[in-house]
Amino acid sequence: MLYYFHHLFDINLLSYISVRAGIAFFLSFVLMMILLPKYMAWAISRKANQPINKYVPAHEGKQHTPTMGGAVFVITTVIASLLTADWGNGYVWGGLFVLVGFGFVGLKDDLGKILTGDNLQGLTARGKMGFLILVSIAISLGLIYGVHFPTTLYVPFVKTPIADMGPLWATLFWTLVLIAASNAVNLTDGLDGLATVPSIVGLGTLSIIVYFSGHAGFARYLLLPNIHGVGEVIIVASSLIGALFAFLWYNSYPAELFMGDTGSLSIGAFFGYMGILGKSEILLVLIGIIFVIETVSVILQVGSYKFRKKRIFLMAPIHHHYEMKNWAENKIIVRFWMIAIIANLLALITLKIR
């Protein structure tokens, strides 16, 4: 809406993406600070509490903590984005579709857990994956045929694309990226604020990359692919970052509210979406290093037990391993945050090395 004030009232300041992104951040932050206490009171009255995994005894005291806070920051992100972004930009609508689509799948899963009172219930693994694949394919096809997004593949340190994947392989690859990213954040969301700060930091890094790609001057200077119009999506990213900052107010240790699958799946998918738009799908491994470590720890644990009948970690994902080693929860969280920040600084450095 503010974008159109630029044309109606000749307010040139509102034509700048950076200005509207800043406004979107504060709009989303303020909305969250207003809505979250109301939602928490409602969730507590309705007993919409987070069922705790019975195999994680250290979390027994958290069974009365309300969950599905992710639904609130998805809603505020959508509102703030619609108030500040260009409605004619397809990348913006794609980002909103990612948040709402994956958030809806997470919401169905969360409701199943709450109604049964069992953290291991909810959507079946097959049903959940089926929904995620459908949403991911829809997004990928929308990029290819809706906004004619290039299907070229880039890797770090190389200034030209290494291949043109074409519509079929691009759809398969981007679907894999979206699903992998969403599930990686979902696995990480096991301690208070553990997934929130790496998400904020990673989205900040990706916003810089996407903004540079959408800006002809920066793209030329940094030898990045210049994709017209893609920079507008950082307004959605900024809205989400603002919402996550407010969410962290209540989600930091000791957490008063959890995001649930509603939040973790939507954040992860949007993380993947930004990586695709910035032609940084491979660089996501570094940008989302904490999510990668958590996911790999689960894969190694399952694979080792299946083939060797031995466990590598005391428990997976790896943050539970350190809990079992009697590390304080807040110490695990802060150390993982530090790793995420350092990895993202390294990711930004790679932009100049081409």
Side-chain angles (χ1 to χ4, degrees):
M1 188 179 292
L2 287 180
Y3 175 79
Y4 298 99
F5 283 2
H6 156 60
H7 298 287
L8 291 173
F9 303 107
D10 196 27
I11 305 175
N12 192 50
L13 190 65
L14 296 178
S15 66
Y16 294 104
I17 292 174
S18 56
V19 172
R20 287 181 287 116
I23 294 171
F25 172 91
F26 285 107
L27 272 176
S28 191
F29 179 84
V30 171
L31 273 173
M32 280 288 284
M33 294 302 287
I34 293 171
L35 294 177
L36 272 182
K38 299 180 185 298
Y39 170 76
M40 288 167 62
W42 175 86
I44 291 170
S45 69
R46 296 286 181 173
K47 292 183 170 53
N49 302 328
Q50 175 70 48
I52 303 301
N53 190 331
K54 59 186 177 184
Y55 298 108
V56 188
H59 292 184
E60 287 175 355
K62 300 183 179 184
Q63 64 266 30
H64 300 300
T65 306
T67 188
M68 290 198 302
V72 185
F73 63 64
V74 168
I75 291 169
T76 57
T77 298
V78 171
I79 292 172
S81 299
L82 291 176
L83 288 174
T84 51
D86 176 9
W87 293 0
N89 187 288
Y91 297 112
V92 169
W93 289 109
L96 296 179
F97 182 77
V98 168
L99 287 170
V100 174
F102 278 78
F104 179 74
V105 177
L107 182 65
K108 287 181 67 66
D109 197 34
D110 283 334
L111 287 174
K113 294 174 183 177
I114 291 169
L115 292 174
T116 60
D118 188 344
N119 188 63
L120 300 178
Q121 297 300 316
L123 286 173
T124 64
R126 181 176 295 181
K128 186 176 181 180
M129 185 58 67
F131 280 123
L132 295 181
I133 290 173
L134 286 175
V135 176
S136 299
I137 290 174
I139 293 162
S140 301
L141 292 176
L143 283 174
I144 294 169
Y145 298 108
V147 293
H148 306 293
F149 187 72
T151 57
T152 46
L153 177 65
Y154 284 77
V155 297
F157 310 117
V158 180
K159 62 185 178 182
T160 55
I162 62 169
D164 186 343
M165 296 180 287
L168 175 60
W169 288 106
T171 299
L172 294 174
F173 180 56
W174 292 342
T175 296
L176 176 63
V177 169
L178 292 167
I179 291 175
S182 62
N183 280 286
V185 176
N186 184 238
L187 286 172
T188 306
D189 183 35
L191 299 179
D192 300 348
L194 179 60
T196 307
V197 170
S199 296
I200 291 171
V201 175
L203 287 171
T205 298
L206 288 165
S207 294
I208 293 171
I209 294 172
V210 171
Y211 180 75
F212 286 167
S213 292
H215 190 288
F218 284 128
R220 189 183 311 112
Y221 173 70
L222 293 170
L223 303 176
L224 295 172
N226 180 220
I227 305 168
H228 178 71
V230 77
E232 189 75 15
V233 83
I234 74 164
I235 292 173
V236 182
S238 184
S239 299
L240 181 56
I241 292 171
L244 288 175
F245 262 105
F247 178 73
L248 186 63
W249 186 273
Y250 296 98
N251 184 237
S252 58
Y253 180 84
E256 301 169 67
L257 177 67
F258 297 138
M259 68 173 69
D261 284 11
T262 310
S264 59
L265 289 179
S266 57
I267 291 173
F270 189 75
F271 203 86
Y273 181 72
M274 290 289 286
I276 292 168
L277 295 189
K279 291 296 179 184
S280 301
E281 299 97 334
I282 309 302
L283 195 59
L284 280 177
V285 174
L286 184 58
I287 296 171
I289 189 65
I290 292 299
F291 309 134
V292 173
I293 291 171
E294 295 276 14
T295 304
V296 170
S297 72
V298 173
I299 294 171
L300 290 175
Q301 184 85 324
V302 172
S304 177
Y305 190 76
K306 182 176 181 180
F307 294 108
R308 301 168 58 237
K309 302 301 179 185
K310 294 181 180 179
R311 292 181 174 88
I312 299 174
F313 308 103
L314 297 176
M315 190 173 184
I318 198 169
H319 59 260
H320 291 317
H321 170 79
Y322 291 111
E323 279 190 295
M324 293 294 186
K325 293 187 71 172
N326 294 319
W327 283 28
E329 181 175 349
N330 54 349
K331 180 170 286 189
I332 299 169
I333 294 164
V334 173
R335 285 178 174 175
F336 277 41
W337 288 355
M338 291 168 65
I339 294 169
I341 292 169
I342 292 169
N344 276 265
L345 290 173
L346 291 173
L348 288 173
I349 290 172
T350 66
L351 296 181
K352 193 68 179 99
I353 306 173
R354 287 176 180 267

